[in-house]
Amino acid sequence: MASGGFEAFLEARADEIETALGAALDPASPLLSGTPERLLAAMRYAALGGGKRLRPVLLAEVAALLGAPRQAALGPALALECIHCYSLVHDDLPAMDDDDLRRGRPTVHRAFDEATAILAGDALLTLAFGLVAAEATLAAQARVALVAALARAAGAAGMVGGQALDLGAETLTLSESEIATMQAMKTGALIAQACEAGAIVAGADAETRDRLVRYGEIVGLAFQLADDLLDETSDAATLGKAAGKDAARGKKTLPSLHGQDWTRRRLDALVAEAEALLAPFGDRARTLVELARFVAIRSR
Protein backbone atom coordinates (compact mmCIF):
# COMPACT_ATOMS: atom_id res chain seq x y z
CA MET A 1 0.00 0.00 0.00
CA ALA A 2 1.45 3.39 -0.99
CA SER A 3 2.06 5.84 1.85
CA GLY A 4 -0.73 8.13 0.65
CA GLY A 5 -3.14 5.20 0.49
CA PHE A 6 -2.20 4.07 3.95
CA GLU A 7 -2.67 7.56 5.38
CA ALA A 8 -6.15 7.60 3.83
CA PHE A 9 -6.81 4.21 5.43
CA LEU A 10 -5.71 5.52 8.84
CA GLU A 11 -7.83 8.63 8.47
CA ALA A 12 -10.88 6.48 7.69
CA ARG A 13 -10.21 4.31 10.75
CA ALA A 14 -9.66 7.44 12.87
CA ASP A 15 -12.99 8.82 11.67
CA GLU A 16 -14.70 5.61 12.80
CA ILE A 17 -13.12 5.94 16.23
CA GLU A 18 -14.12 9.61 16.38
CA THR A 19 -17.75 8.75 15.68
CA ALA A 20 -17.83 5.98 18.27
CA LEU A 21 -16.04 8.15 20.84
CA GLY A 22 -18.55 10.92 20.26
CA ALA A 23 -21.37 8.47 21.02
CA ALA A 24 -19.57 7.27 24.17
CA LEU A 25 -19.27 10.90 25.31
CA ASP A 26 -22.91 11.73 24.61
CA PRO A 27 -24.73 13.16 27.65
CA ALA A 28 -27.36 10.41 27.24
CA SER A 29 -24.72 7.67 27.64
CA PRO A 30 -25.48 5.51 30.69
CA LEU A 31 -21.95 6.06 32.02
CA LEU A 32 -22.28 9.86 31.79
CA SER A 33 -25.91 10.55 32.61
CA GLY A 34 -26.02 13.46 35.08
CA THR A 35 -22.55 14.80 34.26
CA PRO A 36 -22.28 18.60 34.79
CA GLU A 37 -22.56 20.36 31.44
CA ARG A 38 -19.26 22.27 31.61
CA LEU A 39 -17.32 19.18 32.66
CA LEU A 40 -18.76 17.12 29.81
CA ALA A 41 -17.99 19.92 27.36
CA ALA A 42 -14.36 19.89 28.49
CA MET A 43 -14.20 16.09 28.19
CA ARG A 44 -15.56 16.25 24.65
CA TYR A 45 -13.18 19.10 23.75
CA ALA A 46 -10.26 17.02 25.02
CA ALA A 47 -11.22 13.78 23.29
CA LEU A 48 -12.86 14.84 20.02
CA GLY A 49 -11.88 16.95 17.03
CA GLY A 50 -8.58 15.50 15.92
CA GLY A 51 -5.74 13.13 16.67
CA LYS A 52 -4.21 10.17 14.88
CA ARG A 53 -6.15 7.63 17.02
CA LEU A 54 -3.10 5.39 16.70
CA ARG A 55 -3.72 3.37 19.86
CA PRO A 56 -7.35 2.36 19.24
CA VAL A 57 -6.61 1.66 15.57
CA LEU A 58 -3.66 -0.51 16.58
CA LEU A 59 -5.79 -2.41 19.10
CA ALA A 60 -8.53 -3.04 16.55
CA GLU A 61 -6.09 -4.15 13.86
CA VAL A 62 -4.33 -6.62 16.18
CA ALA A 63 -7.70 -8.07 17.20
CA ALA A 64 -8.75 -8.31 13.53
CA LEU A 65 -5.46 -9.99 12.60
CA LEU A 66 -6.25 -12.70 15.15
CA GLY A 67 -9.83 -13.17 13.93
CA ALA A 68 -11.83 -11.22 16.51
CA PRO A 69 -14.96 -9.35 15.34
CA ARG A 70 -14.41 -5.59 15.13
CA GLN A 71 -17.27 -4.85 17.55
CA ALA A 72 -15.56 -6.83 20.32
CA ALA A 73 -12.56 -4.50 20.15
CA LEU A 74 -14.56 -1.26 20.22
CA GLY A 75 -15.04 -0.79 23.96
CA PRO A 76 -11.39 -1.51 24.83
CA ALA A 77 -10.25 0.69 21.92
CA LEU A 78 -12.33 3.65 23.11
CA ALA A 79 -11.13 3.08 26.66
CA LEU A 80 -7.51 3.26 25.55
CA GLU A 81 -8.15 6.49 23.66
CA CYS A 82 -9.83 8.01 26.72
CA ILE A 83 -6.70 7.19 28.74
CA HIS A 84 -4.50 8.75 26.08
CA CYS A 85 -6.62 11.90 25.87
CA TYR A 86 -6.67 12.30 29.64
CA SER A 87 -2.87 12.01 29.66
CA LEU A 88 -2.56 14.80 27.09
CA VAL A 89 -4.83 17.09 29.12
CA HIS A 90 -2.72 16.58 32.24
CA ASP A 91 0.62 16.71 30.39
CA ASP A 92 -0.32 20.13 29.00
CA LEU A 93 -1.02 21.62 32.45
CA PRO A 94 1.24 24.42 33.76
CA ALA A 95 2.60 22.11 36.49
CA MET A 96 3.62 19.53 33.86
CA ASP A 97 4.76 20.43 30.33
CA ASP A 98 2.95 23.80 30.31
CA ASP A 99 1.63 23.85 26.73
CA ASP A 100 -0.87 26.25 25.21
CA LEU A 101 -1.51 24.39 21.94
CA ARG A 102 -2.68 20.85 21.21
CA ARG A 103 -3.94 19.54 17.84
CA GLY A 104 -3.90 23.08 16.51
CA ARG A 105 -6.25 24.38 19.23
CA PRO A 106 -5.84 25.89 22.69
CA THR A 107 -5.17 23.23 25.30
CA VAL A 108 -8.04 22.33 27.63
CA HIS A 109 -6.83 24.44 30.55
CA ARG A 110 -6.64 27.42 28.18
CA ALA A 111 -10.02 26.83 26.54
CA PHE A 112 -11.73 26.25 29.92
CA ASP A 113 -9.65 26.66 33.09
CA GLU A 114 -7.05 24.68 34.98
CA ALA A 115 -9.39 23.09 37.52
CA THR A 116 -11.84 22.00 34.82
CA ALA A 117 -8.99 20.52 32.79
CA ILE A 118 -7.82 18.45 35.76
CA LEU A 119 -11.34 17.18 36.40
CA ALA A 120 -11.94 16.45 32.70
CA GLY A 121 -8.78 14.33 32.67
CA ASP A 122 -9.88 12.54 35.83
CA ALA A 123 -13.29 11.86 34.29
CA LEU A 124 -11.83 10.47 31.05
CA LEU A 125 -9.54 8.18 33.04
CA THR A 126 -12.47 6.86 35.06
CA LEU A 127 -14.70 6.49 32.02
CA ALA A 128 -12.12 4.24 30.37
CA PHE A 129 -12.63 1.43 32.87
CA GLY A 130 -16.40 1.75 32.59
CA LEU A 131 -16.17 1.32 28.83
CA VAL A 132 -14.22 -1.92 29.21
CA ALA A 133 -16.58 -3.24 31.87
CA ALA A 134 -19.62 -2.40 29.74
CA GLU A 135 -18.41 -4.21 26.57
CA ALA A 136 -21.01 -6.98 26.62
CA THR A 137 -19.59 -8.72 23.54
CA LEU A 138 -16.61 -9.85 25.65
CA ALA A 139 -16.60 -12.59 28.28
CA ALA A 140 -16.20 -11.46 31.87
CA GLN A 141 -12.75 -13.09 32.10
CA ALA A 142 -11.53 -11.08 29.11
CA ARG A 143 -12.86 -7.84 30.60
CA VAL A 144 -11.06 -8.50 33.88
CA ALA A 145 -7.82 -9.20 32.01
CA LEU A 146 -8.23 -6.00 29.99
CA VAL A 147 -8.85 -3.88 33.10
CA ALA A 148 -5.76 -5.31 34.82
CA ALA A 149 -3.53 -4.78 31.77
CA LEU A 150 -4.83 -1.26 31.20
CA ALA A 151 -4.37 -0.29 34.86
CA ARG A 152 -0.74 -1.40 34.81
CA ALA A 153 0.12 0.26 31.48
CA ALA A 154 -1.54 3.55 32.41
CA GLY A 155 -0.41 3.70 36.03
CA ALA A 156 2.64 4.17 38.22
CA ALA A 157 4.59 1.33 36.57
CA GLY A 158 3.72 2.60 33.10
CA MET A 159 2.63 5.93 31.64
CA VAL A 160 2.29 7.89 34.90
CA GLY A 161 5.63 6.61 36.15
CA GLY A 162 7.25 7.57 32.87
CA GLN A 163 5.89 11.10 33.14
CA ALA A 164 7.28 11.34 36.67
CA LEU A 165 10.71 10.26 35.41
CA ASP A 166 10.50 12.74 32.53
CA LEU A 167 9.72 15.67 34.81
CA GLY A 168 12.43 14.70 37.26
CA ALA A 169 15.06 14.33 34.52
CA GLU A 170 14.95 17.91 33.20
CA THR A 171 17.94 18.93 35.34
CA LEU A 172 19.76 15.58 35.23
CA THR A 173 22.12 13.80 32.83
CA LEU A 174 20.68 10.46 31.71
CA SER A 175 22.27 7.51 29.94
CA GLU A 176 20.81 6.00 26.79
CA SER A 177 19.28 3.11 28.77
CA GLU A 178 17.71 5.51 31.28
CA ILE A 179 16.16 7.59 28.50
CA ALA A 180 14.88 4.45 26.77
CA THR A 181 13.31 3.17 30.00
CA MET A 182 11.62 6.50 30.67
CA GLN A 183 10.20 6.68 27.15
CA ALA A 184 9.10 3.04 27.15
CA MET A 185 7.01 3.86 30.21
CA LYS A 186 5.72 7.30 29.25
CA THR A 187 4.86 6.61 25.60
CA GLY A 188 5.51 2.96 24.85
CA ALA A 189 3.41 1.41 27.60
CA LEU A 190 0.03 2.43 26.15
CA ILE A 191 1.07 1.53 22.60
CA ALA A 192 2.23 -1.90 23.71
CA GLN A 193 -0.97 -2.24 25.73
CA ALA A 194 -2.98 -1.63 22.56
CA CYS A 195 -1.40 -4.75 21.08
CA GLU A 196 -1.82 -6.74 24.28
CA ALA A 197 -5.47 -5.72 24.52
CA GLY A 198 -6.09 -6.73 20.90
CA ALA A 199 -4.63 -10.15 21.67
CA ILE A 200 -6.77 -10.46 24.81
CA VAL A 201 -9.91 -9.55 22.86
CA ALA A 202 -9.08 -12.29 20.35
CA GLY A 203 -8.26 -14.89 23.03
CA ALA A 204 -4.72 -15.37 21.72
CA ASP A 205 -2.31 -17.86 23.26
CA ALA A 206 0.61 -16.65 25.41
CA GLU A 207 3.22 -16.94 22.64
CA THR A 208 1.17 -14.91 20.18
CA ARG A 209 0.34 -12.34 22.85
CA ASP A 210 4.02 -11.94 23.76
CA ARG A 211 5.01 -11.56 20.08
CA LEU A 212 2.47 -8.80 19.53
CA VAL A 213 3.34 -7.03 22.77
CA ARG A 214 6.97 -6.93 21.61
CA TYR A 215 5.80 -5.53 18.26
CA GLY A 216 3.89 -2.85 20.23
CA GLU A 217 6.98 -2.00 22.27
CA ILE A 218 8.94 -1.48 19.05
CA VAL A 219 6.21 0.70 17.56
CA GLY A 220 6.11 2.69 20.80
CA LEU A 221 9.84 3.34 20.69
CA ALA A 222 9.65 4.29 17.01
CA PHE A 223 6.75 6.66 17.75
CA GLN A 224 8.72 8.43 20.48
CA LEU A 225 11.88 8.65 18.39
CA ALA A 226 9.94 10.11 15.47
CA ASP A 227 8.17 12.53 17.82
CA ASP A 228 11.45 13.73 19.29
CA LEU A 229 12.94 14.10 15.81
CA LEU A 230 9.94 16.13 14.67
CA ASP A 231 10.27 18.40 17.69
CA GLU A 232 13.77 19.25 16.45
CA THR A 233 13.01 19.54 12.73
CA SER A 234 9.38 20.64 12.29
CA ASP A 235 7.27 23.65 13.28
CA ALA A 236 4.12 24.36 15.25
CA ALA A 237 1.96 24.87 12.15
CA THR A 238 2.78 21.36 10.93
CA LEU A 239 2.68 19.62 14.30
CA GLY A 240 -0.39 21.36 15.73
CA LYS A 241 1.56 21.92 18.96
CA ALA A 242 4.64 23.82 20.04
CA ALA A 243 7.92 22.72 18.44
CA GLY A 244 11.42 22.97 19.87
CA LYS A 245 10.26 22.83 23.48
CA ASP A 246 12.17 19.67 24.41
CA ALA A 247 15.56 21.29 24.11
CA ALA A 248 14.35 24.52 25.73
CA ARG A 249 13.12 22.66 28.81
CA GLY A 250 16.06 20.30 29.03
CA LYS A 251 14.03 17.23 28.05
CA LYS A 252 16.15 14.12 27.64
CA THR A 253 15.71 12.45 24.24
CA LEU A 254 17.71 10.00 22.17
CA PRO A 255 17.99 12.39 19.19
CA SER A 256 19.51 15.02 21.49
CA LEU A 257 21.96 12.39 22.77
CA HIS A 258 22.95 10.76 19.46
CA GLY A 259 21.90 13.16 16.69
CA GLN A 260 19.40 13.08 13.84
CA ASP A 261 21.31 10.71 11.54
CA TRP A 262 21.57 8.08 14.29
CA THR A 263 17.87 8.49 15.00
CA ARG A 264 16.88 7.88 11.38
CA ARG A 265 19.07 4.76 11.22
CA ARG A 266 17.55 3.52 14.46
CA LEU A 267 14.05 4.06 13.09
CA ASP A 268 14.91 1.97 10.03
CA ALA A 269 16.19 -0.83 12.28
CA LEU A 270 13.04 -0.75 14.41
CA VAL A 271 10.81 -1.04 11.35
CA ALA A 272 12.85 -4.03 10.19
CA GLU A 273 12.46 -5.66 13.61
CA ALA A 274 8.71 -5.06 13.56
CA GLU A 275 8.45 -6.66 10.12
CA ALA A 276 10.40 -9.72 11.32
CA LEU A 277 8.09 -10.17 14.29
CA LEU A 278 5.05 -10.08 12.02
CA ALA A 279 6.49 -12.41 9.38
CA PRO A 280 4.77 -15.56 10.78
CA PHE A 281 1.38 -13.97 10.06
CA GLY A 282 2.19 -13.46 6.38
CA ASP A 283 0.11 -11.08 4.29
CA ARG A 284 -2.57 -10.90 6.98
CA ALA A 285 -0.26 -8.58 8.93
CA ARG A 286 0.27 -6.16 6.04
CA THR A 287 -1.68 -3.39 7.79
CA LEU A 288 0.43 -3.68 10.94
CA VAL A 289 3.62 -3.64 8.88
CA GLU A 290 2.46 -0.48 7.12
CA LEU A 291 1.53 1.04 10.46
CA ALA A 292 5.04 0.53 11.82
CA ARG A 293 6.48 2.18 8.69
CA PHE A 294 4.05 5.07 8.96
CA VAL A 295 4.95 5.72 12.59
CA ALA A 296 8.65 5.92 11.71
CA ILE A 297 8.36 8.28 8.73
CA ARG A 298 5.37 10.46 9.69
CA SER A 299 5.59 14.21 9.27
CA ARG A 300 3.38 15.24 12.20
Side-chain angles (χ1 to χ4, degrees), residues 1 4 16 51 53 63-64 100 104 111 117 139 149 165 207 232 243 247 249 259 277 285 297:
M1 189 183 301
E16 293 173 4
R53 311 300 186 194
D100 296 331
L165 291 175
E207 182 180 354
E232 291 187 3
R249 291 200 57 174
L277 281 164
I297 65 170

Side-chain angles (χ1 to χ4, degrees), residues 47-91:
L48 303 174
K52 292 176 279 295
R53 311 300 186 194
L54 171 69
R55 292 152 191 83
V57 170
L58 186 55
L59 190 159
E61 291 304 321
V62 167
L65 169 70
L66 300 176
R70 195 164 290 276
Q71 178 60 39
L74 185 58
L78 297 181
L80 192 56
E81 188 65 3
C82 283
I83 295 280
H84 174 58
C85 291
Y86 122 73
S87 76
L88 299 181
V89 175
H90 282 196
D91 281 359

Side-chain angles (χ1 to χ4, degrees), residues 19-64:
T19 299
L21 194 55
L25 288 166
D26 189 279
S29 165
L31 292 171
L32 293 175
S33 178
T35 303
E37 184 177 340
R38 181 174 174 81
L39 176 60
L40 183 57
M43 292 169 66
R44 290 179 62 86
Y45 183 90
L48 303 174
K52 292 176 279 295
R53 311 300 186 194
L54 171 69
R55 292 152 191 83
V57 170
L58 186 55
L59 190 159
E61 291 304 321
V62 167

Side-chain angles (χ1 to χ4, degrees), residues 97-280:
D97 288 345
D98 193 15
D99 279 310
D100 296 331
L101 194 67
R102 171 71 66 180
R103 295 172 177 168
R105 304 186 299 174
T107 48
V108 179
H109 67 276
R110 292 299 184 190
F112 291 82
D113 57 73
E114 192 170 340
T116 301
I118 292 170
L119 293 171
D122 293 344
L124 287 168
L125 168 62
T126 310
L127 175 62
F129 294 97
L131 289 169
V132 174
E135 186 50 74
T137 60
L138 291 172
Q141 185 177 2
R143 281 179 271 171
V144 170
L146 287 164
V147 165
L150 184 58
R152 177 172 177 80
M159 182 187 69
V160 173
Q163 177 71 354
L165 291 175
D166 189 34
L167 291 170
E170 291 181 2
T171 58
L172 302 176
T173 299
L174 299 186
S175 67
E176 178 177 337
S177 64
E178 288 171 325
I179 295 172
T181 296
M182 174 183 72
Q183 294 183 340
M185 293 170 69
K186 180 182 177 182
T187 302
L190 280 193
I191 293 177
Q193 204 280 325
C195 296
E196 181 178 21
I200 292 171
V201 166
D205 58 60
E207 182 180 354
T208 300
R209 182 168 161 175
D210 289 347
R211 177 178 291 274
L212 288 166
V213 167
R214 178 56 189 156
Y215 162 81
E217 290 170 348
I218 290 167
V219 171
L221 178 54
F223 184 93
Q224 186 64 61
L225 280 174
D227 214 47
D228 292 340
L229 189 61
L230 287 169
D231 187 73
E232 291 187 3
T233 61
S234 192
D235 54 55
T238 302
L239 296 178
K241 60 181 181 179
K245 287 196 68 176
D246 287 350
R249 291 200 57 174
K251 293 288 187 182
K252 302 306 182 291
T253 69
L254 292 175
S256 69
L257 185 66
H258 291 302
Q260 295 178 15
D261 289 342
W262 177 94
T263 302
R264 293 186 177 94
R265 290 193 300 272
R266 181 68 178 129
L267 284 167
D268 288 342
L270 288 169
V271 171
E273 188 176 351
E275 291 176 353
L277 281 164
L278 295 172

